[in-house]
Coordinates of all heavy atoms in Angstrom, one line a residue:
M1 N 111.7 116.5 120.1 CA 110.3 116.0 120.2 C 110.0 115.1 119.0 O 109.4 114.1 119.2 CB 109.4 117.2 120.3 CG 108.0 116.7 120.5 SD 107.8 116.0 122.1 CE 106.1 115.7 122.2
K2 N 110.5 115.5 117.9 CA 110.3 114.7 116.7 C 110.9 113.3 116.7 O 110.3 112.3 116.3 CB 110.9 115.5 115.5 CG 110.7 114.8 114.1 CD 111.2 115.5 113.0 CE 111.1 114.8 111.7 NZ 111.8 115.5 110.6
E3 N 112.1 113.2 117.4 CA 112.8 111.9 117.5 C 112.0 111.0 118.4 O 111.9 109.8 118.2 CB 114.2 112.1 118.1 CG 115.1 112.8 117.2 CD 115.0 114.4 117.3 OE1 114.4 114.8 118.2 OE2 115.6 115.0 116.4
I4 N 111.3 111.5 119.4 CA 110.5 110.7 120.4 C 109.3 110.2 119.6 O 109.0 109.0 119.8 CB 110.1 111.5 121.6 CG1 111.3 111.9 122.4 CG2 109.1 110.8 122.4 CD1 111.0 112.9 123.5
I5 N 108.7 111.0 118.8 CA 107.6 110.5 118.0 C 108.0 109.4 117.0 O 107.3 108.4 116.9 CB 106.9 111.7 117.3 CG1 106.3 112.6 118.3 CG2 105.8 111.2 116.3 CD1 105.8 113.9 117.7
V6 N 109.1 109.6 116.3 CA 109.5 108.6 115.4 C 109.9 107.3 116.1 O 109.6 106.2 115.6 CB 110.8 109.1 114.6 CG1 111.5 108.1 113.8 CG2 110.4 110.3 113.7
L7 N 110.6 107.4 117.2 CA 110.9 106.2 118.0 C 109.6 105.5 118.5 O 109.6 104.2 118.5 CB 111.8 106.5 119.2 CG 113.3 106.7 118.8 CD1 114.1 107.1 120.1 CD2 113.9 105.4 118.3
S8 N 108.7 106.2 119.0 CA 107.4 105.6 119.4 C 106.7 104.9 118.3 O 106.2 103.8 118.5 CB 106.5 106.7 120.0 OG 107.1 107.3 121.1
L9 N 106.7 105.5 117.1 CA 106.0 104.9 116.0 C 106.8 103.6 115.6 O 106.2 102.6 115.2 CB 106.0 105.9 114.8 CG 104.8 106.8 114.8 CD1 105.0 107.8 113.7 CD2 103.5 106.1 114.7
T10 N 108.1 103.7 115.6 CA 108.9 102.5 115.2 C 108.6 101.4 116.2 O 108.4 100.2 115.8 CB 110.4 102.9 115.3 OG1 110.6 104.0 114.3 CG2 111.2 101.7 114.9
F11 N 108.6 101.7 117.5 CA 108.4 100.6 118.5 C 107.0 100.1 118.4 O 106.8 98.9 118.6 CB 108.7 101.1 119.9 CG 110.1 101.3 120.2 CD1 110.6 102.4 120.8 CD2 111.1 100.3 119.8 CE1 112.0 102.6 121.1 CE2 112.4 100.4 120.1 CZ 112.8 101.6 120.7
A12 N 106.0 100.9 118.0 CA 104.7 100.5 117.9 C 104.5 99.6 116.7 O 103.8 98.5 116.8 CB 103.7 101.7 117.8
I13 N 105.1 99.9 115.6 CA 105.1 99.0 114.4 C 105.7 97.7 114.7 O 105.2 96.6 114.3 CB 105.7 99.7 113.2 CG1 104.8 100.9 112.7 CG2 106.0 98.8 112.1 CD1 105.5 101.8 111.7
L14 N 106.9 97.7 115.3 CA 107.6 96.4 115.6 C 106.8 95.6 116.6 O 106.7 94.4 116.5 CB 109.0 96.7 116.1 CG 109.9 97.3 115.1 CD1 111.3 97.6 115.8 CD2 110.1 96.4 113.9
A15 N 106.1 96.3 117.6 CA 105.3 95.5 118.5 C 104.1 94.9 117.9 O 103.7 93.7 118.1 CB 104.8 96.4 119.7
V16 N 103.4 95.6 117.0 CA 102.3 95.1 116.2 C 102.7 93.9 115.4 O 102.1 92.8 115.3 CB 101.6 96.1 115.4 CG1 100.7 95.6 114.4 CG2 100.9 97.1 116.2
Q17 N 103.9 94.1 114.7 CA 104.4 93.0 113.9 C 104.7 91.7 114.7 O 104.5 90.6 114.3 CB 105.6 93.4 113.1 CG 105.9 92.7 111.9 CD 104.8 92.6 110.8 OE1 103.9 93.4 110.9 NE2 105.0 91.7 110.0
Y18 N 105.3 91.9 115.9 CA 105.6 90.8 116.8 C 104.3 90.1 117.2 O 104.3 88.9 117.2 CB 106.4 91.3 118.0 CG 106.8 90.2 119.0 CD1 107.8 89.4 118.7 CD2 106.0 90.0 120.1 CE1 108.2 88.3 119.6 CE2 106.3 89.0 121.0 CZ 107.4 88.2 120.8 OH 107.7 87.2 121.6
H19 N 103.3 90.9 117.5 CA 102.1 90.3 117.9 C 101.4 89.5 116.8 O 100.8 88.5 117.0 CB 101.1 91.4 118.4 CG 99.7 90.9 118.8 ND1 99.5 90.2 119.9 CD2 98.6 91.0 118.2 CE1 98.3 89.9 120.0 NE2 97.6 90.4 118.9
L20 N 101.5 90.0 115.6 CA 101.0 89.3 114.4 C 101.7 88.0 114.2 O 101.1 87.0 113.7 CB 101.1 90.2 113.2 CG 100.1 91.4 113.1 CD1 100.4 92.2 111.9 CD2 98.7 90.9 113.1
G21 N 103.0 88.0 114.6 CA 103.7 86.7 114.5 C 103.3 85.7 115.5 O 103.4 84.5 115.3
L22 N 102.7 86.1 116.6 CA 102.2 85.2 117.6 C 100.9 84.6 117.3 O 100.5 83.6 117.9 CB 102.1 85.9 119.0 CG 103.4 86.3 119.7 CD1 103.1 87.1 120.9 CD2 104.2 85.1 120.0
M23 N 100.2 85.2 116.3 CA 98.9 84.7 116.0 C 98.9 83.4 115.2 O 99.9 83.1 114.7 CB 98.1 85.8 115.2 CG 97.8 87.1 116.0 SD 97.1 88.4 115.0 CE 95.6 87.6 114.5
R24 N 97.7 82.7 115.2 CA 97.6 81.4 114.5 C 97.8 81.6 113.0 O 98.3 80.7 112.4 CB 96.3 80.8 114.8 CG 96.3 80.0 116.1 CD 95.0 79.3 116.2 NE 95.0 78.6 117.5 CZ 94.7 77.3 117.5 NH1 94.3 76.7 116.4 NH2 94.7 76.7 118.7
K25 N 97.3 82.7 112.4 CA 97.3 82.9 111.0 C 98.5 83.7 110.6 O 98.5 85.0 110.8 CB 96.0 83.5 110.5 CG 94.8 82.6 110.7 CD 93.6 83.2 110.1 CE 92.4 82.3 110.4 NZ 91.2 82.7 109.7
P26 N 99.6 83.1 110.2 CA 100.8 83.9 109.9 C 100.7 84.8 108.7 O 101.6 85.7 108.5 CB 101.9 82.8 109.7 CG 101.1 81.7 109.2 CD 99.8 81.7 109.9
G27 N 99.7 84.7 107.9 CA 99.6 85.5 106.7 C 99.3 87.0 107.0 O 99.7 87.9 106.2
F28 N 98.7 87.3 108.2 CA 98.5 88.7 108.6 C 99.8 89.4 108.7 O 99.9 90.6 108.5 CB 97.7 88.8 109.8 CG 96.3 88.3 109.7 CD1 95.7 87.5 110.6 CD2 95.5 88.8 108.7 CE1 94.4 87.1 110.5 CE2 94.2 88.4 108.6 CZ 93.6 87.5 109.5
G29 N 100.9 88.7 109.1 CA 102.2 89.4 109.3 C 102.8 89.8 108.0 O 103.7 90.6 108.0
A30 N 102.4 89.3 106.9 CA 102.9 89.7 105.5 C 102.3 91.0 105.0 O 102.8 91.6 104.1 CB 102.7 88.6 104.5
V31 N 101.2 91.5 105.6 CA 100.5 92.7 105.1 C 101.4 93.9 105.3 O 101.6 94.7 104.4 CB 99.2 92.8 105.8 CG1 98.5 94.1 105.4 CG2 98.3 91.7 105.4
L32 N 101.9 94.1 106.5 CA 102.7 95.3 106.8 C 104.0 95.4 106.0 O 104.2 96.5 105.4 CB 102.9 95.4 108.3 CG 103.5 96.7 108.8 CD1 102.6 97.9 108.4 CD2 103.7 96.7 110.3
P33 N 104.8 94.4 105.9 CA 106.0 94.5 105.1 C 105.7 94.7 103.7 O 106.4 95.5 103.0 CB 106.7 93.1 105.3 CG 106.2 92.6 106.6 CD 104.8 93.1 106.7
A34 N 104.6 94.1 103.1 CA 104.2 94.3 101.7 C 103.8 95.7 101.5 O 104.2 96.4 100.5 CB 103.2 93.4 101.3
A35 N 103.0 96.3 102.5 CA 102.6 97.7 102.3 C 103.8 98.7 102.4 O 103.9 99.6 101.6 CB 101.6 98.0 103.4
L36 N 104.7 98.4 103.3 CA 105.9 99.2 103.5 C 106.7 99.2 102.2 O 107.3 100.2 101.8 CB 106.7 98.9 104.7 CG 106.1 99.3 106.0 CD1 107.0 98.7 107.2 CD2 106.0 100.8 106.2
A37 N 106.9 97.9 101.6 CA 107.7 97.8 100.4 C 107.1 98.6 99.3 O 107.8 99.3 98.5 CB 107.9 96.4 100.1
A38 N 105.8 98.5 99.1 CA 105.1 99.2 98.1 C 105.2 100.7 98.3 O 105.5 101.4 97.3 CB 103.6 98.8 98.0
L39 N 105.1 101.1 99.5 CA 105.2 102.6 99.8 C 106.6 103.1 99.4 O 106.8 104.1 98.7 CB 104.9 102.9 101.3 CG 105.1 104.3 101.7 CD1 104.1 105.2 101.2 CD2 105.2 104.3 103.2
F40 N 107.6 102.4 99.8 CA 109.0 102.8 99.6 C 109.3 102.8 98.1 O 110.0 103.6 97.5 CB 110.0 102.1 100.4 CG 110.1 102.5 101.8 CD1 109.8 101.6 102.8 CD2 110.6 103.7 102.1 CE1 109.8 102.1 104.2 CE2 110.7 104.1 103.4 CZ 110.3 103.3 104.5
L41 N 108.8 101.7 97.4 CA 109.0 101.6 96.0 C 108.4 102.8 95.2 O 108.9 103.3 94.3 CB 108.6 100.3 95.4 CG 109.5 99.1 95.8 CD1 108.9 97.8 95.3 CD2 110.9 99.3 95.1
A42 N 107.1 103.1 95.6 CA 106.4 104.1 95.0 C 107.1 105.5 95.2 O 107.2 106.3 94.3 CB 104.9 104.2 95.6
V43 N 107.5 105.8 96.4 CA 108.3 107.0 96.7 C 109.5 107.1 95.9 O 109.9 108.1 95.3 CB 108.5 107.2 98.2 CG1 109.4 108.4 98.4 CG2 107.2 107.4 98.9
S44 N 110.3 106.0 95.8 CA 111.5 106.0 95.0 C 111.2 106.2 93.5 O 112.0 106.9 92.8 CB 112.2 104.6 95.2 OG 112.7 104.4 96.5
F45 N 110.1 105.6 93.0 CA 109.8 105.8 91.6 C 109.4 107.2 91.4 O 109.8 107.8 90.4 CB 108.6 104.8 91.3 CG 108.2 104.9 89.8 CD1 109.0 104.4 88.8 CD2 107.0 105.5 89.5 CE1 108.7 104.5 87.5 CE2 106.6 105.7 88.2 CZ 107.5 105.1 87.2
L46 N 108.6 107.8 92.3 CA 108.2 109.2 92.1 C 109.3 110.2 92.2 O 109.3 111.2 91.5 CB 107.1 109.6 93.1 CG 105.7 108.9 92.9 CD1 104.8 109.2 94.0 CD2 105.1 109.3 91.6
E47 N 110.3 109.9 93.0 CA 111.4 110.8 93.2 C 112.5 110.5 92.2 O 113.5 111.2 92.2 CB 111.9 110.7 94.7 CG 110.9 111.1 95.7 CD 111.1 112.5 96.2 OE1 112.2 113.0 96.2 OE2 110.1 113.1 96.7
Q48 N 112.4 109.4 91.5 CA 113.4 108.9 90.6 C 114.8 108.8 91.2 O 115.8 109.2 90.7 CB 113.5 109.8 89.3 CG 112.2 109.8 88.6 CD 112.2 110.7 87.4 OE1 113.1 111.5 87.2 NE2 111.2 110.6 86.5
T49 N 114.8 108.0 92.3 CA 116.0 107.8 93.1 C 115.9 106.4 93.7 O 114.9 105.8 93.7 CB 116.3 108.8 94.2 OG1 117.5 108.5 94.7 CG2 115.2 108.8 95.2
T50 N 117.1 105.8 94.0 CA 117.1 104.5 94.6 C 117.4 104.6 96.1 O 117.4 103.6 96.8 CB 118.2 103.6 94.0 OG1 119.5 104.3 94.2 CG2 118.0 103.3 92.5
E51 N 117.5 105.8 96.6 CA 117.8 106.0 98.0 C 116.7 105.5 98.9 O 117.0 104.8 99.9 CB 118.0 107.5 98.3 CG 118.3 107.9 99.7 CD 118.4 109.3 100.0 OE1 118.5 110.1 99.0 OE2 118.3 109.7 101.2
Y52 N 115.5 105.7 98.6 CA 114.4 105.3 99.4 C 114.2 103.7 99.3 O 113.7 103.1 100.2 CB 113.1 106.0 99.0 CG 113.2 107.5 99.3 CD1 113.1 108.4 98.2 CD2 113.4 108.0 100.6 CE1 113.1 109.7 98.5 CE2 113.5 109.3 100.8 CZ 113.3 110.2 99.7 OH 113.4 111.5 99.9
G53 N 114.5 103.2 98.1 CA 114.4 101.7 97.9 C 115.3 101.0 98.8 O 115.0 100.0 99.4
I54 N 116.5 101.5 99.0 CA 117.6 100.8 99.8 C 117.2 101.0 101.3 O 117.2 99.9 102.1 CB 118.9 101.4 99.5 CG1 119.4 101.0 98.1 CG2 120.0 100.8 100.6 CD1 120.6 101.8 97.6
T55 N 116.8 102.1 101.7 CA 116.3 102.4 103.1 C 115.1 101.6 103.4 O 114.9 101.0 104.4 CB 116.1 103.9 103.3 OG1 117.2 104.6 102.9 CG2 115.7 104.2 104.7
G56 N 114.1 101.5 102.4 CA 113.0 100.7 102.5 C 113.2 99.3 102.7 O 112.6 98.6 103.5
L57 N 114.2 98.8 102.0 CA 114.5 97.3 102.1 C 115.0 97.0 103.5 O 114.6 96.0 104.1 CB 115.6 97.0 101.1 CG 116.1 95.5 101.1 CD1 115.0 94.5 100.8 CD2 117.3 95.4 100.2
L58 N 115.8 97.8 104.0 CA 116.3 97.7 105.4 C 115.1 97.7 106.4 O 115.0 96.9 107.3 CB 117.3 98.7 105.8 CG 118.6 98.6 105.0 CD1 119.6 99.7 105.4 CD2 119.3 97.2 105.3
C59 N 114.2 98.6 106.2 CA 113.0 98.8 107.0 C 112.1 97.5 106.9 O 111.6 97.0 108.0 CB 112.2 100.0 106.6 SG 110.7 100.3 107.6
V60 N 111.9 97.0 105.7 CA 111.0 95.8 105.5 C 111.7 94.6 106.2 O 111.1 93.8 106.8 CB 110.8 95.6 104.0 CG1 110.2 94.3 103.8 CG2 109.9 96.7 103.5
L61 N 113.1 94.5 106.1 CA 113.7 93.4 106.7 C 113.6 93.5 108.2 O 113.5 92.4 108.9 CB 115.2 93.4 106.3 CG 115.5 93.0 104.9 CD1 117.0 93.1 104.5 CD2 115.0 91.6 104.6
A62 N 113.7 94.6 108.8 CA 113.5 94.8 110.3 C 112.1 94.4 110.7 O 112.0 93.7 111.7 CB 113.8 96.2 110.7
V63 N 111.1 94.8 110.0 CA 109.8 94.4 110.3 C 109.5 92.9 110.1 O 108.9 92.3 110.9 CB 108.7 95.3 109.5 CG1 107.4 94.8 109.6 CG2 108.8 96.8 109.8
A64 N 110.1 92.4 109.1 CA 110.0 90.9 108.9 C 110.7 90.1 109.9 O 110.3 89.1 110.4 CB 110.5 90.6 107.5
A65 N 111.8 90.7 110.5 CA 112.5 90.0 111.6 C 111.7 90.0 112.8 O 111.7 89.1 113.6 CB 113.9 90.7 111.8
A66 N 111.0 91.1 113.1 CA 110.1 91.2 114.3 C 109.0 90.2 114.1 O 108.7 89.5 115.1 CB 109.6 92.6 114.4
W67 N 108.5 90.0 112.9 CA 107.5 89.0 112.7 C 108.0 87.6 112.9 O 107.4 86.7 113.5 CB 106.9 89.2 111.3 CG 105.9 88.1 110.9 CD1 104.6 88.0 111.3 CD2 106.2 86.9 110.2 NE1 104.0 86.9 110.8 CE2 104.9 86.2 110.1 CE3 107.3 86.4 109.5 CZ2 104.9 85.0 109.4 CZ3 107.2 85.3 108.8 CH2 106.0 84.5 108.8
G68 N 109.2 87.4 112.4 CA 109.9 86.1 112.5 C 110.1 85.7 114.0 O 110.0 84.6 114.4
A69 N 110.5 86.7 114.8 CA 110.7 86.5 116.2 C 109.4 86.0 116.9 O 109.4 85.2 117.7 CB 111.3 87.7 116.9
G70 N 108.3 86.7 116.5 CA 107.0 86.3 117.0 C 106.6 84.9 116.6 O 106.1 84.1 117.3
R71 N 107.0 84.5 115.4 CA 106.6 83.2 114.8 C 107.4 82.1 115.6 O 106.9 81.0 115.9 CB 106.9 83.0 113.3 CG 106.0 83.7 112.4 CD 104.6 83.4 112.5 NE 104.2 82.0 112.5 CZ 103.1 81.5 113.1 NH1 102.3 82.3 113.7 NH2 102.9 80.2 113.2
L72 N 108.7 82.4 115.9 CA 109.5 81.4 116.7 C 108.9 81.2 118.1 O 109.0 80.1 118.6 CB 110.9 82.0 116.8 CG 111.7 81.9 115.5 CD1 113.1 82.5 115.7 CD2 111.9 80.5 115.0
K73 N 108.3 82.2 118.7 CA 107.8 82.1 120.0 C 106.3 81.7 120.1 O 105.7 81.6 121.1 CB 108.0 83.4 120.8 CG 109.4 83.8 120.9 CD 109.8 84.1 122.2 CE 111.3 84.5 122.1 NZ 112.0 84.5 123.4
A74 N 105.7 81.6 118.9 CA 104.2 81.4 118.8 C 103.8 80.0 119.5 O 102.8 80.0 120.2 CB 103.8 81.3 117.4
G75 N 104.6 79.0 119.3 CA 104.3 77.7 119.9 C 104.3 77.8 121.4 O 103.4 77.3 122.1
K76 N 105.3 78.4 122.0 CA 105.4 78.5 123.4 C 104.3 79.4 124.0 O 103.8 79.1 125.0 CB 106.8 79.1 123.8 CG 107.9 78.2 123.6 CD 109.2 78.9 124.0 CE 110.4 77.9 123.6 NZ 111.7 78.6 123.9
H77 N 104.0 80.5 123.3 CA 102.9 81.4 123.7 C 101.6 80.7 123.7 O 100.8 80.8 124.6 CB 102.9 82.6 122.7 CG 101.8 83.6 123.0 ND1 101.9 84.4 124.1 CD2 100.7 83.9 122.4 CE1 100.8 85.2 124.2 NE2 100.1 84.9 123.1
E78 N 101.3 79.9 122.7 CA 100.0 79.2 122.6 C 100.0 78.1 123.7 O 98.9 78.0 124.4 CB 99.9 78.5 121.2 CG 98.5 77.9 121.1 CD 98.3 77.4 119.6 OE1 99.0 77.9 118.7 OE2 97.5 76.5 119.5
K79 N 101.1 77.4 124.0 CA 101.1 76.5 125.0 C 100.8 77.1 126.4 O 100.1 76.6 127.3 CB 102.4 75.7 125.0 CG 102.4 74.6 126.0 CD 103.7 73.8 126.0 CE 103.9 72.7 126.9 NZ 103.2 72.8 128.2
A80 N 101.4 78.3 126.6 CA 101.3 79.0 127.9 C 99.8 79.4 128.1 O 99.3 79.4 129.2 CB 102.2 80.2 127.9
Q81 N 99.2 79.9 127.0 CA 97.8 80.3 127.1 C 96.9 79.1 127.4 O 96.0 79.1 128.2 CB 97.3 80.9 125.8 CG 97.8 82.3 125.6 CD 97.2 82.9 124.3 OE1 96.9 82.2 123.4 NE2 97.2 84.2 124.3
L82 N 97.2 77.9 126.8 CA 96.4 76.7 127.1 C 96.6 76.2 128.5 O 95.6 75.9 129.2 CB 96.8 75.6 126.1 CG 96.3 75.7 124.7 CD1 96.8 74.7 123.8 CD2 94.8 75.8 124.6
D83 N 97.8 76.3 129.0 CA 98.1 75.9 130.4 C 97.4 76.9 131.3 O 96.9 76.4 132.4 CB 99.6 76.0 130.6 CG 100.3 74.8 130.0 OD1 99.7 73.8 129.5 OD2 101.5 74.9 129.8
Q84 N 97.3 78.1 131.0 CA 96.6 79.1 131.8 C 95.1 78.8 131.9 O 94.5 78.9 132.9 CB 96.9 80.5 131.4 CG 96.4 81.6 132.2 CD 96.7 83.0 131.7 OE1 97.1 83.1 130.5 NE2 96.4 84.0 132.5
M85 N 94.6 78.5 130.7 CA 93.1 78.2 130.7 C 92.8 76.9 131.4 O 91.8 76.8 132.1 CB 92.7 78.0 129.2 CG 92.7 79.3 128.4 SD 92.5 79.1 126.7 CE 90.8 78.4 126.6
K86 N 93.7 75.9 131.3 CA 93.5 74.7 132.1 C 93.6 74.9 133.6 O 92.8 74.3 134.4 CB 94.6 73.6 131.7 CG 94.3 73.0 130.4 CD 95.4 72.0 130.0 CE 95.3 71.5 128.6 NZ 96.4 70.6 128.3
A87 N 94.5 75.8 134.1 CA 94.6 76.1 135.5 C 93.4 76.8 136.0 O 93.0 76.6 137.1 CB 95.9 77.0 135.7
K88 N 92.8 77.7 135.2 CA 91.5 78.4 135.6 C 90.4 77.4 135.7 O 89.5 77.6 136.5 CB 91.2 79.5 134.6 CG 92.0 80.7 134.7 CD 91.6 81.8 133.8 CE 92.4 83.0 134.0 NZ 92.0 84.1 133.0
D89 N 90.3 76.3 134.8 CA 89.3 75.4 134.8 C 89.3 74.5 136.1 O 88.3 74.0 136.6 CB 89.3 74.5 133.6 CG 88.8 75.2 132.4 OD1 88.2 76.3 132.5 OD2 89.2 74.8 131.2
L90 N 90.5 74.3 136.6 CA 90.7 73.5 137.8 C 90.4 74.3 139.0 O 89.7 74.3 139.8 CB 92.1 72.9 137.9 CG 92.5 72.0 136.8 CD1 94.0 71.6 137.0 CD2 91.7 70.7 136.7

């Protein structure tokens, strides 16, 4: 059951990050990776180990990759929305 919850949270975080990449203001997508990096660095500092820092770096890179994928598709997404709005107006 624990694994299902972890996977659900992971997919939810990646989905939110992808959605933030689709938005017009790309700065919102930097908030989550920065918060995760700060969290992992704080935990690593408190535990006096680098284990969480390395794991955290991989996690931040995955979240940033989801945001980047959203940014790559943002133009097509916006064009599709505009086309849909034009079709409704006609």
Side-chain angles (χ1 to χ4, degrees):
M1 185 68 177
K2 181 180 176 184
E3 293 85 12
I4 294 172
I5 294 171
V6 170
L7 280 175
S8 298
L9 277 172
T10 302
F11 287 133
I13 289 171
L14 293 176
V16 166
Q17 198 61 14
Y18 179 79
H19 178 71
L20 289 174
L22 290 175
M23 295 176 62
R24 278 184 178 232
K25 296 184 181 187
F28 290 132
V31 173
L32 189 59
L36 286 174
L39 175 72
F40 282 114
L41 286 175
V43 170
S44 291
F45 182 73
L46 290 175
E47 301 260 335
Q48 296 179 350
T49 182
T50 59
E51 179 181 345
Y52 299 117
I54 295 167
T55 305
L57 177 64
L58 294 175
C59 179
V60 169
L61 288 176
V63 171
W67 175 81
R71 288 301 316 150
L72 289 175
K73 303 234 180 192
K76 291 180 184 178
H77 179 71
E78 187 173 337
K79 185 178 181 327
Q81 283 184 335
L82 287 174
D83 290 343
Q84 186 179 15
M85 290 170 66
K86 287 179 186 177
K88 283 184 180 180
D89 288 342
L90 296 176

